[in-house]
Amino acid sequence: MSHAVVCRRYAKALIDLAVQESLVDQIVQNLERTVQMVVQNRSLKNFMFSPLHKSDEKQKILDGVAAELKISGLLKKFLKLLIRSDRFPQLEGIYKEYVHLADQLKNRAEADVTTAVPLSDEDKERLRAKMQDLTGKNIYLKVNVDPRLIGGVITRIGSVVYDGSVRAQMMKLKERIMMTS
């Protein structure tokens, strides 16, 4: 079974349970913190992902992680299931699928925004409102600054790219000039 299929199935099972217990957004936050801790701590990641360590050893470590992050209940049970099923290495992929499913459920989307210079809070809010109008979804922004852009904004929501960069505008102008020549 492919990695993507495994991640999707586990994420779907988790979100179904989270919906029943009204914990969808809480699980997003706690799962994100768990993924960050595991991914950023190389020795923890190596231990938890290694097939050489026994399931009960990993579960003891998970108990410590869960206590530190104040994770309990449904998510803790789910993480222990991943360990028992040897699926803990798919944690990051499951998290991404879960966020995608939660966003669909809550009619929201992440807008990945790239700008040449940092945006003010006012500019971010205007951009967020514009993207909400375009998509009909509740938008949350993830802003990246790339000084290689001459100016403007490139926004990606899912697979749709809105390219408002100066470079793209200049290319369109060049095409129009070439068509009229």
Side-chain angles (χ1 to χ4, degrees), residues 11 28-29 34 37 49-50 57 64 91 93 98 109 119 126 139 142-143 157-158 164 169 175 178-179:
V28 167
Q29 294 165 358
T34 304
M37 178 180 260
F49 288 14
S50 172
E57 294 172 338
L91 181 63
Y98 183 88
L119 296 176
R126 275 200 310 263
I139 298 292
K142 179 178 144 196
V143 180
I157 301 173
Q169 292 171 20
E175 287 174 15
M178 298 298 281
M179 290 173 69

Side-chain angles (χ1 to χ4, degrees), residues 14 69 103 137 151 165 171 177 180:
L14 180 58
L69 296 176
D103 285 349
K137 295 184 182 261
S165 66
M171 293 300 288
I177 290 171
T180 58

Side-chain angles (χ1 to χ4, degrees), residues 20-181:
Q20 289 175 8
E21 296 189 26
S22 301
L23 296 172
V24 173
D25 289 332
Q26 181 182 345
I27 297 286
V28 167
Q29 294 165 358
N30 289 336
L31 196 52
E32 177 181 26
R33 291 191 345 250
T34 304
V35 168
Q36 285 175 347
M37 178 180 260
V38 170
V39 169
Q40 291 173 0
N41 186 327
R42 183 180 217 141
S43 59
L44 176 62
K45 180 179 180 180
N46 289 340
F47 182 86
M48 296 300 285
F49 288 14
S50 172
L52 301 176
H53 300 287
K54 294 181 180 176
S55 177
D56 27 330
E57 294 172 338
K58 293 178 184 181
Q59 288 191 20
K60 286 178 186 173
I61 297 296
L62 177 65
D63 287 338
V65 169
E68 186 174 330
L69 296 176
K70 296 178 177 61
I71 294 171
S72 62
L74 176 61
L75 182 56
K76 187 174 177 183
K77 289 177 188 174
F78 179 77
L79 294 172
K80 286 186 175 194
L81 171 71
L82 292 181
I83 290 170
R84 284 191 310 274
S85 306
D86 291 325
R87 296 295 188 188
F88 205 81
Q90 281 84 31
L91 181 63
E92 196 169 3
I94 292 167
Y95 164 71
K96 289 176 182 175
E97 282 294 327
Y98 183 88
V99 169
H100 176 73
L101 293 170
D103 285 349
Q104 285 180 329
L105 188 68
K106 301 279 185 160
N107 192 38
R108 61 185 177 215
E110 177 182 78
D112 191 10
V113 177
T114 305
T115 64
V117 296
L119 296 176
S120 69
D121 289 341
E122 185 179 297
D123 289 337
K124 287 178 189 176
E125 183 53 35
R126 275 200 310 263
L127 181 59
R128 190 185 68 71
K130 180 71 172 171
M131 292 293 110
Q132 282 186 182
D133 289 346
L134 279 171
T135 63
K137 295 184 182 261
N138 296 317
I139 298 292
Y140 56 98
L141 299 178
K142 179 178 144 196
V143 180
N144 304 300
V145 176
D146 184 353
R148 293 178 296 177
L149 281 179
I150 299 169
V153 176
I154 300 173
T155 304
R156 184 183 56 77
I157 301 173
S159 61
V160 179
V161 177
Y162 301 94
D163 192 345
S165 66
V166 171
R167 175 174 286 144
Q169 292 171 20
M170 291 177 76
M171 293 300 288
K172 287 178 188 174
L173 181 61
K174 179 180 173 183
E175 287 174 15
R176 280 193 229 136
I177 290 171
M178 298 298 281
M179 290 173 69
T180 58
S181 300

